[in-house]
Amino acid sequence: MYERAAAENAAPGPLWHLGGGLTFFAGPLDYNASHQHGAPVYLAGLHGPFGLRIGDGPWLTCRTAAIPMGVLHELDLGGNPLAVFYVEPTVAGFDALAPLLRGAEETGGALVGSAGETGLLRDLYEDRHATRWAGEALRDLLDFSGKQAARSIDPRLPRALQALREAGEEPGGAPVPVARIARAAGLSASRFQHLFTEEMGVPFRRYRAWSRMRAAIAEIVDGANFTTAAHAAGFADQAHFAHDFRRTFGAPASRSLTGIRR
């Protein structure tokens, strides 16, 4: 269904896709220090195995992995390309990513595999025009893997998250009050935060930080510079964005957000 582009001499730049509750990155990485996300993620070494450490456990060598949201992990790629596929918790849960692995074993709450889905993700990375078909391909992959891509959650939470998206974050880093978001769900702030953690598996503050980071990355992918993207997503300045990016991904933004494809 999807055609691989003809090989070219120079390595392709980093690929990002954000849309429909899916976030995808493919590109070379070095070392990503311990970090955690507000969404479950599937990892695939595109040219071979990579190093992975879950929490304070031992370093492992694997070809694929699925990490639940909130689980600390480190990565060691040595400059090789990695595919990173996030699914928003309102779209699908961690269970939807598990079928993408083969030869998987549970470690520290994560799944670590000796094989799994790499072909399509490598096609995306190697096709210099993949931005045109990445969204369709990733949705097809999730539908094939999960079968239950539409996740069933308390209906009050989507209303609250819609309110968060519509409100955005105030320029300069002032967050929209939780009470305002909770009102859209007909809940008190404390009850909303408890329900969110119960349903989503991570605290609202962590998901909110992830959403703000995702918004900033989307701005950069659309052509904004780091400063403009930071302000648009509600960060006080570029320095705060750079600090939060490193905390979110365990590596500087320059490694994965420079020379990206559009």
Side-chain angles (χ1 to χ4, degrees):
M1 181 176 180
Y2 306 111
E3 297 181 358
R4 185 195 298 260
E8 298 179 42
N9 292 330
L15 170 67
W16 284 92
H17 170 81
L18 299 96
L22 308 179
T23 301
F24 179 75
F25 165 81
L29 296 175
D30 300 301
Y31 167 72
N32 288 55
S34 184
H35 59 289
Q36 57 190 172
H37 300 300
V41 60
Y42 174 72
L43 308 173
L46 297 182
H47 291 169
F50 60 94
L52 172 67
R53 187 183 188 205
I54 306 297
D56 57 359
W59 278 96
L60 306 169
T61 298
C62 59
R63 187 65 189 269
T64 59
I67 316 291
M69 55 187 125
V71 171
L72 288 166
H73 57 287
E74 297 175 62
L75 300 171
D76 188 358
L77 275 297
N80 292 314
L82 183 73
V84 186
F85 181 32
Y86 304 94
V87 181
E88 293 302 294
T90 52
V91 173
F94 173 74
D95 290 347
L97 298 178
L100 296 176
L101 290 86
R102 292 197 299 275
E105 296 183 359
E106 191 276 334
T107 302
L111 291 177
V112 178
S114 58
E117 173 53 53
T118 59
L120 171 62
L121 305 183
R122 184 168 176 168
D123 286 350
L124 281 168
Y125 173 60
E126 294 181 349
D127 186 343
R128 294 174 185 277
H129 305 290
T131 54
R132 301 174 184 173
W133 56 277
E136 178 187 359
L138 293 169
R139 172 55 63 181
D140 285 351
L141 180 63
L142 182 61
D143 288 347
F144 170 79
S145 171
K147 306 295 185 184
Q148 74 281 12
R151 187 183 181 196
S152 177
I153 60 175
D154 189 299
R156 292 172 290 186
L157 293 185
R159 294 201 298 269
L161 294 178
Q162 180 62 33
L164 176 64
R165 285 190 291 271
E166 291 175 352
E169 298 286 9
E170 299 296 332
V176 177
V178 175
R180 178 177 165 189
I181 304 303
R183 279 198 299 272
L187 298 168
S188 67
S190 60
R191 176 56 187 153
F192 166 70
Q193 292 182 88
H194 177 79
L195 178 65
F196 192 95
T197 302
E198 186 178 70
E199 289 277 315
M200 298 296 197
V202 293
F204 176 63
R205 59 179 174 74
R206 182 173 298 157
Y207 177 79
R208 172 182 226 160
W210 165 251
S211 295
R212 182 165 69 164
M213 178 57 63
R214 192 170 179 264
I217 293 171
E219 292 284 338
I220 294 170
V221 170
D222 285 344
N225 60 38
F226 281 23
T227 299
T228 300
H231 283 291
F235 290 94
D237 51 35
Q238 181 181 334
H240 282 81
F241 164 69
H243 176 269
D244 280 9
F245 188 97
R246 183 182 286 272
R247 183 174 61 182
T248 301
F249 298 103
S254 58
R255 185 61 168 119
S256 57
L257 284 174
T258 300
I260 60 177
R261 282 175 267 175
R262 297 190 171 91

